[in-house]
Amino acid sequence: GMETVEDITIEESKDSRSCLRICVTNPSIREDTLSKYVIYTVQGLDNQGDFERVRRYTDFVKLRMLLIENWPTCYVPPIPPKQVIGNFASQFIESRRKMLNHFVSKISELSYLYHAEEFQQFIRGPEDYEKATSLKQSICSIEPKFTSNFEEFNQEEVSDQRIQTIAGFEKFAKSNFVSLKEFKETVKTVKLQYEQFRYLMNGFSKKFTEVESQYLNYFGTVNIFTPLSAEAQENPFETLYEWIKFEIVDLKSMLQVVEHRYFLDNEKYKAECKVSEYNKRISKLQSGKSSIKQMLSTKSKEQNISSTEAKLAQKEKEIKAFSMVIRIALNRLGAYELPKFQEKKTKEYKTMMQQFSSLLQSEFQTFNHSAEESLKKSQS
């Protein structure tokens, strides 16, 4: 089975959690000559004091991409997907704000991401977050962050069980997307039809009451029909729909994190190819063979050898860094990130089902009450 999170002790640094508050508020539409866009205020307070920045949706996209690249295989919460039409409808803006708010609050729970330069620049840095593009890091800068933040995953080789956990999740997520998307469409239809049904039932209830009272007036029978309660209630299927919409996005973001390991493997392989290329070049130079490019070069043979050796040393350093990061990443994914994700999903699903079931129950109690009362009266 899967390792549980308890198997591994994780020190989530509590240093600033106690006084940490962060939220995305106050969305407003801005227009300049060429474009129209929505800005959001990101504000909060932590042990460094308070902060407030105005950010666009594209800044959030940029931030998330940077976190994924600079913290490979670490879970980064999702942001709402891009949408082309209906971007300025107030309902859309509000649901996007909610999800962006969820994004920053989840990051604030992951101290290594919260204190990372990419995120600090986002909440405290220049007005123009595009300037932060220089924050993309090389593997040699990523490796020391990994060894200092996740040293407990650096001790051992990656076990087969952990590899299986990772592969198992990947298989599950990919095969599940199709059915989740289909279910989302089903729920959407039911949700809309249900609104319609409610609307019709309200009209029906009013009409029935009218007809019955006219009927009674003439025949002198007793009032039997008990009208449906007209209280506005939350549509139970709305809860289900919101859950599944988020679920698809969240699974996608976890899959993106898990698949990032292929990118690391590939980059490491490229570095290894370079190493063998430099080694061949050095032995050619030493044996006195030289390419046309080197013949035309003003550098001496010794200079050519030493500059190639410097490149070789750099690539070897990168390969070491890749190996270290990949090992930590796979250990973290298999022993911590995925079990934690599984636990979170189970909890979220239970919460949603509680809401959904209790809404559905109170919904049908309304019908039940009307039917029971009417039945009693008709039998008396």
Side-chain angles (χ1 to χ4, degrees):
M2 210 185 231
E3 291 175 61
T4 58
V5 183
E6 280 71 37
D7 296 348
I8 297 270
T9 50
I10 288 290
E11 282 305 308
E12 273 293 5
S13 73
K14 288 272 181 280
D15 60 341
S16 58
R17 288 290 303 135
S18 50
C19 70
L20 200 154
R21 285 198 301 278
I22 184 167
C23 62
V24 175
T25 59
N26 196 16
S28 57
I29 297 172
R30 276 215 183 147
E31 270 184 274
D32 49 40
T33 40
L34 292 172
S35 62
K36 179 179 177 184
Y37 53 90
V38 180
I39 53 163
Y40 302 86
T41 304
V42 181
Q43 60 183 49
L45 172 77
D46 58 21
N47 59 357
Q48 313 272 307
D50 50 12
F51 53 84
E52 183 170 314
R53 282 288 174 274
V54 166
R55 297 290 180 220
R56 297 174 57 166
Y57 170 71
T58 47
D59 294 328
F60 284 90
V61 174
K62 176 94 212 133
L63 164 66
R64 188 166 183 278
M65 236 16 260
L66 275 173
L67 289 173
I68 284 174
E69 286 167 356
N70 293 346
W71 294 87
T73 70
C74 294
Y75 170 75
V76 179
I79 56 173
K82 283 192 170 75
Q83 181 166 320
V84 187
I85 321 160
N87 280 356
F88 301 106
S90 58
Q91 204 181 354
F92 170 77
I93 292 174
E94 178 49 24
S95 90
R96 182 174 263 189
R97 183 205 63 78
K98 269 189 191 153
M99 204 159 163
L100 293 173
N101 190 57
H102 177 271
F103 169 71
V104 295
S105 85
K106 284 293 166 208
I107 284 184
S108 76
E109 291 169 18
L110 303 164
S111 60
Y112 50 91
L113 292 185
Y114 185 81
H115 294 296
E117 192 193 348
E118 304 86 350
F119 193 72
Q120 287 300 314
Q121 287 287 333
F122 186 76
I123 59 176
R124 292 195 155 90
E127 282 301 317
D128 181 5
Y129 190 63
E130 278 301 310
K131 291 205 169 71
T133 39
S134 60
L135 294 173
K136 188 165 165 21
Q137 291 166 342
S138 72
I139 194 69
C140 294
S141 321
I142 291 172
E143 186 255 341
K145 290 192 311 190
F146 265 56
T147 41
S148 67
N149 278 290
F150 313 127
E151 74 183 306
E152 63 274 48
F153 298 110
N154 190 13
Q155 315 308 344
E156 50 200 309
E157 281 311 307
V158 186
S159 67
D160 287 347
Q161 188 202 357
R162 288 176 184 180
I163 296 288
Q164 279 164 358
T165 297
I166 298 166
F169 171 78
E170 201 172 350
K171 193 178 165 195
F172 155 77
K174 284 178 175 167
S175 62
N176 226 27
F177 273 134
V178 179
S179 48
L180 275 177
K181 280 179 180 158
E182 285 169 358
F183 185 53
K184 180 183 147 189
E185 288 313 306
T186 307
V187 174
K188 189 179 179 178
T189 309
V190 174
K191 176 179 85 114
L192 296 170
Q193 297 283 1
Y194 199 76
E195 282 301 324
Q196 181 67 4
F197 169 70
R198 266 180 168 176
Y199 174 75
L200 292 170
M201 285 308 284
N202 273 334
F204 157 80
S205 189
K206 282 188 189 125
K207 261 286 175 257
F208 202 157
T209 312
E210 270 171 42
V211 167
E212 196 186 47
S213 69
Q214 288 165 0
Y215 207 73
L216 294 182
N217 274 341
Y218 181 75
F219 290 113
T221 41
V222 285
N223 171 297
I224 293 176
F225 176 67
T226 308
L228 293 166
S229 134
E231 264 177 67
Q233 279 179 322
E234 218 180 308
N235 183 340
F237 297 96
E238 185 68 55
T239 310
L240 196 54
Y241 186 62
E242 286 305 314
W243 169 79
I244 196 164
K245 255 186 359 184
F246 179 75
E247 211 53 18
I248 290 170
V249 183
D250 203 23
L251 265 180
K252 258 194 190 142
S253 64
M254 193 63 189
L255 186 61
Q256 189 183 18
V257 162
V258 168
E259 286 180 332
H260 203 88
R261 71 187 197 281
Y262 297 130
F263 170 77
L264 292 176
D265 285 338
N266 193 33
E267 290 296 298
K268 182 186 170 190
Y269 173 70
K270 281 192 217 163
E272 287 165 344
C273 293
K274 278 287 181 201
V275 163
S276 68
E277 185 191 311
Y278 292 146
N279 275 323
K280 280 180 195 154
R281 192 182 297 173
I282 290 167
S283 59
K284 266 187 181 171
L285 282 164
Q286 282 166 341
S287 68
K289 292 179 189 161
S290 49
S291 65
I292 294 175
K293 190 179 167 190
Q294 281 148 3
M295 285 176 189
L296 298 172
S297 155
T298 51
K299 288 182 193 166
S300 69
K301 175 178 152 181
E302 283 67 33
Q303 282 173 320
N304 272 325
I305 289 176
S306 79
S307 81
T308 310
E309 278 172 344
K311 286 179 188 168
L312 175 70
Q314 177 55 32
K315 283 293 162 200
E316 281 174 338
K317 197 177 144 194
E318 282 174 25
I319 290 170
K320 256 180 99 167
F322 272 118
S323 302
M324 183 77 88
V325 168
I326 289 168
R327 186 170 76 204
I328 294 174
L330 293 176
N331 273 326
R332 265 192 93 249
L333 275 175
Y336 173 66
E337 209 68 277
L338 286 168
K340 185 178 146 194
F341 187 71
Q342 194 183 27
E343 224 171 72
K344 178 183 89 143
K345 290 288 127 206
T346 312
K347 209 165 128 189
E348 286 171 355
Y349 183 69
K350 280 184 175 166
T351 309
M352 182 279 296
M353 279 308 286
Q354 272 172 354
Q355 282 178 315
F356 175 64
S357 314
S358 76
L359 283 170
L360 208 54
Q361 195 179 27
S362 72
E363 190 68 19
F364 286 105
Q365 271 164 358
T366 310
F367 287 106
N368 212 7
H369 173 74
S370 167
E372 274 177 353
E373 290 300 306
S374 303
L375 188 63
K376 266 187 220 158
K377 289 177 191 168
S378 67
Q379 286 168 341
S380 61

